[in-house]
Amino acid sequence: PAGGVVGAAEIAKQQNIPKILTLDMGGTSTDTARFDGNYDYKYTTVVGDAQMLSPCFEIETVAARGGSLCQFDGAKLTVGPESAGAFPGPACYGAGGDLAITDVNLLLGKLDASAMGIPIQVEAAKMKLEVLQAAILEEKGQQMSELEILRGFEQIANEKMAEAIRKISVVKGFGPKEYSLLVFGGAGGLLAC
């Protein structure tokens, strides 16, 4: 994550952009940071049960990523924090995985299966969506369209990422309107707008 912040800062400097908020979305996490000519640091970091007293970049990480599982808990739609992982991965990887944000983006037409570096199985993702749709109907007696479900998952994931951006900006007294958003990572470009 720190390498992404440094790279983004260098791109901003080259383009004469004085202030950026970064959004790095990949398969395992979404990381956000703020850069205004200087890096934000924190001096205490907790990793698991360990507390480290050492300066590091202030990066807000959320469990909204390509592998975030998209589920129905009997009452509402949820996104993460559980992950499909690298194996089996999202349903469209064809290894028996459950519906994940990657599948949502695929089924919404944001990902071109033919442009992916691995074989993508649209039907596997569609089948998992249909199972989830049936579960909603059975549990709530409510027929939701596939598009409603997909847009719901998309909105939940986007809100988690927006909250991470708020934590590095608004919560600390910085107005996001003063910053450019620089996105990267495997899925950052899908969600920038």
Side-chain angles (χ1 to χ4, degrees), residues 75-155:
K76 64 187 180 308
L77 299 176
T78 64
V79 175
E82 298 84 7
S83 176
F87 187 83
C92 65
Y93 288 10
D98 289 320
L99 194 70
I101 287 294
T102 297
D103 300 304
V104 168
N105 285 319
L106 176 69
L107 296 173
L108 284 173
K110 293 181 174 185
L111 288 176
D112 179 2
S114 66
M116 302 293 283
I118 60 173
I120 297 296
Q121 298 181 13
V122 177
E123 285 306 313
K126 188 156 178 50
M127 184 185 78
K128 292 292 184 172
L129 177 61
E130 289 169 356
V131 168
L132 192 135
Q133 184 181 33
I136 293 170
L137 179 60
E138 182 179 324
E139 186 68 32
K140 296 188 83 173
Q142 178 183 1
Q143 179 67 45
M144 290 182 70
S145 73
E146 290 180 359
L147 185 58
E148 286 176 306
I149 295 168
L150 293 170
R151 290 285 184 214
F153 286 134
E154 177 186 49
Q155 187 175 8

